Structure formats: structure tokens, C-alpha cells
Amino acid sequence: CVANLDFVESIFGNSGDPNLPENDAGLDTEHWTGTTGCVVLAPHLRQCKKKDLALPHINNATELQKKNGMCWEKEDELYNSGRPFKITMRDERGIMVTILADNYFGYCKKETKTQIGLTANVFGLAEEEHAGGALAFKAANLGDKFDADPRFMQVLVPSHDVENTYNYEKAVQLLGDTITEHPEGYSTDKRFPNLHLLPQDMELNVQTQKATFTKFGKEGEEKVSVRLLPNNIYVHPSGYKVRVERHPDAAEWHLIGTLAEPTFCHKPSTVSGGGKSE
């Protein structure tokens, strides 16, 4: 049972000593759902006799009890023929108690998730975690060169040329004090120093190891080049990202472009083996 508890806690976590006030769910009015669950792993109950569990003798049993085997004829008959079983009590308040007469750890995980599902139903306007989703960002191998063409920086590539409607100045204004502006004419994210914002005419070249763009200043326009760094990400004002990445099987570097707009994939519900993780 101790090993099983470690298995379950490795999945769902353990907030700590339940006797401490900070770990008492009943005192956490902001997060507690108002429901309470208990799972008891008791494999030894498989040896319980029907007679000891107060089930009636076959002569005193109803037809339904006879059909379901909820009666005994011999005094040594085991409940459920000695096979594993589960007994559950639930009510509309969200109180749940489950006894598992088995030594399979996975049932404790499944029962915990079942109780979370009932909690979500009782709480209302909520879904259990097993409802899954993902933000899928389309990415492509750009080779060793990239020229900022807005036609290829969107989910569906149109058949005609597209005018660029994004510019560096507006992006800098939008990001505010979250970035650091450099005198060369580009910016770096303060939280992620390998994330750089470049002007809209950015050109990246792995062969020359340079990122080239136009710097707009008081003295006019100026072509500027900075070094293209490995494992760094260069962002177009539209949000299109280009990162410098090493090929997994070859000793060469290339550019990977990722769209700013993702596809939202959502599964409202699923079952074991339904492929949510994939």
C-alpha cells in the first residue's frame, strides 16, 4: 500500500501534512471544490466470506440477489468468488468513498480520475483534466536562408503576393518594457535573452552567420547586420519565429520557421487508449 501511495502521488502530487492548516482543503475557500474523496486499497477483502458480510442465505434471498450472486449456500463461500472487486459510495454533495479489493496500482489512478470527474460535474461549468487539447504551431525547415515574405508567414499560403502590415516600431510599442532595445536596431526579451525581435525586412543567413535588416533612425535608413547565434530565436513583428537549430543527424545548422498563429486542437472527453497524449 505504501508503494501504491507513492505511485499515485507521483501522478497527482502531495501537498504535505494534512494536519497543517496550510494543507487543509476545508480552509482553502478559494480552491477547494467542496467535494471529498477517499480511496482505500484493501486486497485482503477478497478473502471475505459472504456470510460474514451479512449477505442472506439463498433460502432468504430475493430473485435479484440470487441472479447477482449476493447470497450464499455454503458458509465458506467467498464474496465475488474471491475475485477482485470495487465498492463505491457517492452522493449529490460530492462525497466519494471507494474500496478496491485488488493489488493493481493502476485502479487507484483510474478511481482518482473518476472522482475528479464527479467533482467537476458537481462543481459545474468544469471539465476533468482528461479532457485534452493542444496548441499546434505549424513549422517548416527553411534551409540556410530566410527572407521575410509575409505570403509564407501564415497558415494558408495565398497564390498572390501579400503586403506586409506589421512593423518593428508598433511591435516595440506593444511589448513595452518587456524588451531591451539595442542601438543596432533590434530588441531582446528581458525574460528570455535568446529571443530577439527584428525589423520587418529581416534576412537570416546561416552561411554568413548574419541577420540583416534596416535600421530606421533620425539620420535615415541604414542596413545593419548582427551575428546569427545558434539556439537563438529571431521574431518578425508579425510573430513569425525563426530559430537556428542543429540538424539531429548531421553536422550542419539550419533555420526552422514557426507560424505565430496556432491551430487549437481540443478533445472535450476521451477514454483510455483514445490517443489524447498523441
Side-chain angles (χ1 to χ4, degrees):
C1 288
V2 175
N4 177 67
L5 184 63
D6 179 72
F7 166 76
V8 175
E9 288 181 351
S10 68
I11 301 169
F12 299 102
N14 182 347
S15 61
D17 187 347
N19 296 314
L20 297 177
E22 57 266 31
N23 297 327
D24 189 341
L27 300 177
D28 189 0
T29 57
E30 292 186 357
H31 303 99
W32 186 40
T33 59
T35 57
T36 300
C38 175
V39 180
V40 180
L41 191 70
H44 60 286
L45 295 184
R46 292 162 54 188
Q47 304 304 315
C48 289
K49 299 176 182 178
K50 292 183 178 181
K51 181 180 179 181
D52 296 336
L53 296 176
L55 293 179
H57 186 271
I58 191 170
N59 295 333
N60 302 321
T62 65
E63 290 302 317
L64 183 62
Q65 288 175 322
K66 293 177 182 179
K67 178 182 179 181
N68 294 331
M70 293 293 105
C71 58
W72 55 273
E73 189 172 6
K74 299 179 181 178
E75 293 190 358
D76 60 349
E77 287 183 34
L78 298 179
Y79 180 80
N80 199 35
S81 302
R83 298 190 300 268
F85 61 88
K86 178 178 83 169
I87 298 178
T88 301
M89 184 282 295
R90 305 187 183 109
D91 67 10
E92 67 277 2
R93 295 172 298 172
I95 296 177
M96 304 158 280
V97 179
T98 299
I99 298 177
L100 294 168
D102 197 359
N103 57 5
Y104 175 54
F105 292 179
Y107 287 143
C108 280
K109 172 189 174 184
K110 292 174 70 66
E111 186 60 28
T112 302
K113 295 185 72 62
T114 299
Q115 293 190 357
I116 294 174
L118 179 62
T119 293
N121 292 336
V122 173
F123 188 72
L125 297 178
E127 287 183 303
E128 189 254 337
E129 182 273 334
H130 215 68
L135 291 176
F137 290 84
K138 182 180 178 182
N141 187 338
L142 304 175
D144 56 9
K145 292 181 181 180
F146 170 75
D147 295 329
D149 186 344
R151 179 188 171 199
F152 299 101
M153 293 190 290
Q154 43 193 316
V155 178
L156 298 176
V157 179
S159 58
H160 54 83
D161 292 337
V162 178
E163 182 181 356
N164 178 51
T165 57
Y166 301 92
N167 64 64
Y168 176 74
E169 289 74 18
K170 287 184 179 179
V172 170
Q173 185 179 3
L174 179 65
L175 294 172
D177 61 357
T178 63
I179 57 175
T180 300
E181 293 189 67
H182 302 289
E184 291 87 350
Y186 74 102
S187 303
T188 300
D189 191 278
K190 290 182 178 180
R191 187 177 179 186
F192 303 99
N194 66 329
L195 191 63
H196 312 288
L197 175 67
L198 272 58
Q200 58 272 18
D201 64 341
M202 56 187 278
E203 298 176 6
L204 308 181
N205 192 315
V206 175
Q207 296 296 328
T208 61
Q209 298 183 23
K210 289 183 179 180
T212 306
F213 48 86
T214 302
K215 174 185 176 183
F216 298 89
K218 296 180 181 180
E219 301 178 356
E221 300 181 4
E222 177 187 0
K223 265 305 187 188
V224 177
S225 293
V226 296
R227 186 180 177 189
L228 196 65
L229 299 173
N231 300 317
N232 277 240
I233 301 173
Y234 299 87
V235 185
H236 186 267
S238 66
Y240 189 84
K241 300 180 289 292
V242 182
R243 69 179 185 272
V244 185
E245 188 177 273
R246 185 171 183 176
H247 193 283
D249 300 317
E252 61 181 33
W253 294 79
H254 55 211
L255 302 173
I256 302 294
T258 305
L259 293 178
E261 182 181 351
T263 299
F264 182 43
C265 309
H266 177 65
K267 291 189 74 176
S269 62
T270 186
V271 295
S272 296
K276 187 193 73 146
S277 301
E278 287 73 28

